[in-house]
């Protein structure tokens, strides 16, 4: 934790990231048994900003910056591993730039866990007690598990943002580019099924719709498109990207037999006899890019 000062260009977390951090703190309190939790994501070079609090009695921690190497959280960030102290203000293993904020909230035992995405620290989560007690394995393990879940959520959002950027720039005259777009379409539909946030899921599916619209033939050129169920589209989009039935099942969290069932239904609706014919027919009638 640190004072708010200038530490380079700040990056405020997006709405989805804020929701994810808030949910992580709620899980941390529940699973670790620690009554206080707080944390935040990277806000600049070597700086992590506390922007979410849970179970606190004051707002003194909100908006504070964690500088890499300083205090408990800064040291956890620098070492890229969890740390805990029994009595924050009396600890000899951390620096004490932020004792005033910790004392104002009445915190004594504190743990800090870095959130690491693609080998880079993206944030830090804290759990704390208001009495000096040695924190055992249970709260630390629970906090680490919560951090891993948050890492996966942030990684998923990063990947979604990358694919969305591809979907915004299709080039009809470049076949290789369209293959990238088609792959992005399949990955986007797969990612949408893994996203817990309804708004982000809606954005991903909207991007899928833009890809299809951009590549669709003129209305009426091949007759009306058959009514494919959302899950049938998910399966067909994965197949179009070259995935096997087993890979489709793993990507969408389905059983291989279920994938085969969806494919049979799709082929029947499209009048196709093979997977490739189904993909070609789906592109012709404008349900796949």
């Amino acid at each position: 934790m640190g004072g708010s000062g200038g530490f380079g260009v700040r990056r405020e977390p997006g709405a989805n990231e804020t929701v994810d951090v808030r949910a992580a703190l709620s899980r941390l309190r529940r699973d670790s048994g620690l009554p206080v939790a707080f944390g935040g994501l990277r806000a600049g070079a070597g700086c992590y900003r506390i922007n979410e609090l849970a179970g606190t009695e004051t707002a003194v921690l909100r908006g504070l910056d964690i500088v890499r190497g300083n205090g408990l959280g800064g040291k956890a960030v620098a070492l890229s591993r969890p740390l805990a102290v029994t009595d924050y203000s009396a600890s000899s293993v951390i620096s004490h730039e932020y004792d005033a904020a910790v004392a104002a909230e009445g915190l004594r035992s504190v743990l800090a866990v870095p959130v690491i995405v693609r080998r880079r620290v993206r944030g830090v989560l804290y759990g704390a007690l208001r009495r000096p007690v040695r924190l055992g394995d249970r709260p630390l393990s629970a906090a680490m598990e919560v951090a891993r879940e948050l890492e996966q959520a942030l990684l998923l959002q990063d990947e979604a943002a990358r694919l969305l950027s591809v979907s915004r720039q299709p080039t009809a005259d470049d076949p290789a580019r369209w293959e990238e777009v088609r792959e992005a379409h399949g990955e986007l539909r797969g990612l949408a099924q893994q996203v817990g946030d309804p708004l982000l899921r809606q954005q991903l599916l909207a991007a899928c719709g833009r890809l299809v619209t951009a590549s669709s033939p003129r209305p009426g050129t091949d007759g009306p498109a058959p009514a494919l169920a959302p899950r049938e589209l998910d399966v067909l989009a994965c197949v179009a990207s070259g995935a096997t039935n087993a890979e489709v099942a793993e990507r969408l969290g389905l059983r291989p037999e279920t994938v085969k069932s969806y494919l049979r239904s799709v082929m029947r609706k499209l009048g196709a006899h093979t997977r490739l014919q189904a993909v070609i027919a789906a592109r012709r009638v404008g349900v796949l890019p």
Side-chain angles (χ1 to χ4, degrees):
M1 289 150 288
S4 22
F7 297 100
V9 177
R10 284 204 180 97
R11 175 190 177 278
E12 292 300 326
N16 292 317
E17 292 176 335
T18 297
V19 169
D20 286 333
V21 172
R22 194 175 299 147
L25 296 181
S26 177
R27 288 195 302 272
L28 196 157
R29 293 180 71 202
R30 181 192 66 210
D31 296 348
S32 70
L34 299 175
V36 180
F38 49 100
L41 301 178
R42 188 173 182 270
C47 174
Y48 303 81
R49 197 173 206 195
I50 302 297
N51 52 21
E52 292 298 325
L53 313 174
T56 55
E57 295 178 349
T58 74
V60 67
L61 300 172
R62 188 183 299 278
L64 294 184
D65 293 327
I66 308 156
V67 180
R68 180 183 175 89
N70 291 357
L72 180 66
K75 186 172 182 179
V77 166
L79 297 177
S80 294
R81 65 180 178 87
L83 294 173
V85 293
T86 300
D87 192 342
Y88 191 99
S89 62
S91 175
S92 61
V93 299
I94 61 172
S95 60
H96 291 277
E97 293 86 352
Y98 320 128
D99 284 7
V102 174
E105 183 57 40
L107 304 180
R108 303 293 292 278
S109 297
V110 185
L111 62 78
V113 182
V115 177
I116 303 172
V117 179
R118 290 195 176 98
R119 300 182 181 180
R120 199 173 169 197
V121 179
R122 280 278 291 275
V124 61
L125 302 178
Y126 295 86
L129 288 166
R130 291 190 170 87
R131 61 185 189 278
V133 176
R134 184 180 181 278
L135 298 174
D137 291 339
R138 179 199 164 195
L140 196 57
S141 296
M144 291 171 62
E145 180 62 27
V146 168
R148 300 298 85 80
E149 291 176 5
L150 178 57
E151 290 165 2
Q152 289 302 309
L154 294 174
L155 181 62
L156 195 61
Q157 289 193 34
D158 288 350
E159 184 64 8
R162 182 186 70 81
L163 293 172
L164 281 168
S165 69
V166 171
S167 77
R168 293 189 184 105
Q169 304 172 31
T171 306
D173 297 330
D174 185 348
R177 181 64 168 170
W178 266 113
E179 283 308 310
E180 282 187 53
V181 171
R182 286 165 173 167
E183 288 182 15
H185 177 268
E187 291 180 41
L188 278 171
R189 288 203 71 95
L191 284 173
Q193 305 310 315
Q194 303 174 41
V195 172
D197 178 52
L199 178 60
L200 180 57
R201 188 186 309 116
Q202 183 180 2
Q203 290 173 340
L204 293 175
L205 293 176
C208 292
R210 290 200 301 274
L211 288 175
V212 172
T213 300
S215 62
S216 293
R218 292 190 305 274
T221 55
D222 282 280
L228 298 185
R231 218 50 170 147
E232 291 174 343
L233 273 174
D234 293 338
V235 168
L236 191 58
C238 290
V239 169
S241 70
T244 65
N245 286 358
E247 290 169 340
V248 174
E250 182 178 359
R251 190 180 300 177
L252 298 179
L254 300 172
R255 297 174 60 187
E257 295 79 7
T258 305
V259 171
K260 291 179 182 177
S261 176
Y262 280 130
L263 275 176
R264 284 194 295 268
S265 176
V266 166
M267 288 189 287
R268 184 178 65 254
K269 291 179 179 180
L270 291 171
H273 300 288
T274 67
R275 292 154 53 97
L276 178 59
Q277 287 178 0
V279 170
I280 293 172
R283 287 173 177 166
R284 186 179 299 124
V285 297
V287 296
L288 283 183

